[in-house]
Amino acid sequence: MKAHDGMYIDGAWRPAAGRDVIEVVNPADERVIGTVPAGTAEDVDAAVRAARAALSGWSATPPAERAARLAALRDALAAREEEIAETVTAELGSPLAFSRTVHAGMPIAVAGFYAGLAATYAFEEKVGNSTVYHEPVGVVGAITPWNYPLHQIVAKAAPALAAGCTVVLKPAEDTPLTARLFAGAVDEAGLPAGVFNLVTGVGPVAGQALAEHPDVDLVSFTGSTAVGRRIGAIAGAAVKKVALELGGKSANVILPGADLARAVNVGVANVMSNSGQTCSAWTRMLVHRDQYDEAVALAATAAAKYGERIGPVVNAKQRARVRDYIEKGVAEGARLVAGGPGSPRERGYFVSPTVLADVTPEMTVAQEEIFGPVLSILRYDDEEHALRIANGTVYGLAGAVWAGDEAEAVAFARRLDTGQVDINGGRFNPLAPFGGYKQSGVGRELGTHGLTEYLQTKSLQF
């Protein structure tokens, strides 16, 4: 076990205000692999004060210079790529191959994108007799989740820094070691002191202190809808901006005429990816009743192949939550065709890849986010019925549509109340705007839209 002391504040590692620590557990074998300080409101205040002091200098730094520092940050992350992958595997349980390509590789590419965008974005433009300036919103409080620890940090910190904002990061307490690697990369990249700050801690203490701090101008949060509502209420009381990327219950709609085998196999893979711990996972598969039995059989076969290929869920609490949902689904009338609530291994927080058939729209497993490797398959009668089911939750984060004719798939996707839809297996694009409708959040991350979340607009008339 390795003890990681201190917070990264004002360009240096400094002792935490308190003595409490957080144990970091490897979910694959339940061993404690390290500890980090449990930050307090005093730590958060020190970090925010450092960010506020650094704001005027960083916001006035020419965009080309900010771009150069972000390019150096990308390079520093790339130099740590294998260490990042191994760390994510240790604290999240992700298979190492997936950690290398997704957990390490994707955020490094995103950091590089924002380095380029910082140099080319039009922070000033002419509109008639006005000059419009796009200025940094100020100090950003970033609160990130455990499911994609580095990706979520980069998706917030990189555009905020490119915009000229300063950042205080509070990462998830389950995966703080990856955040410390990011802080080390920031230090190596030579960003000015106070531009980026890291405070580890638990949400109800450090997270709440960051959201409530009067010198934080924008809170960017990714996590549960329940916590997002709380942060929105705190921000609303202070009239500060928020960017909220929250829960999902995404529909994978397979229309008649689609390649059923491919749609089902890709859909199962999507749900099992990252052990089902993806907010945009297509956890509801909607199939026409004429093809329903065939789709269920295909899904059960596909899910069985993932038994030894996926990692654990993040902790014991999450494992119990997922098991409870599976049991509730069966109790409400769903048919278990693959997996189940039992553990496939003696140690570790593993959950069997699970498929539930005969799920109806009102069932709990069709309405609530499970955040585990559990797929629900629902019947529909016609396209209008499928649309009602797909739009029939409080969420609207992502989804998929499959059809024999692409125009048909696009027409259906345009009617979905969701922020991102994959057509016939379209690949995830980390440069496209990502975010949800309804209770899936407010604002967008990634791409140019991710940068604009951290800007405010001023116009001068001549």
Side-chain angles (χ1 to χ4, degrees), residues 249 251 253 284 286 385-393 395 412 416:
K249 194 67 185 176
V253 183
R284 295 180 297 147
L286 278 56
H385 186 208
L387 186 68
R388 289 196 301 274
I389 295 172
N391 287 338
T393 74
Y395 298 112
F412 190 94
L416 290 174

Side-chain angles (χ1 to χ4, degrees), residues 17 39 43 72 81-82 94 99 105 174 229 240 289 297 304 355 368 375-376 401 405 421 426 444 449 462:
D43 294 306
E81 187 167 6
E82 184 64 16
S94 170
S99 292
D174 290 288
R229 290 193 196 102
K240 68 174 69 176
R289 63 172 54 255
V355 177
E368 298 182 10
L375 170 66
S376 298
V401 180
D405 178 65
V421 186
R444 293 295 181 268
H449 293 78
F462 294 90

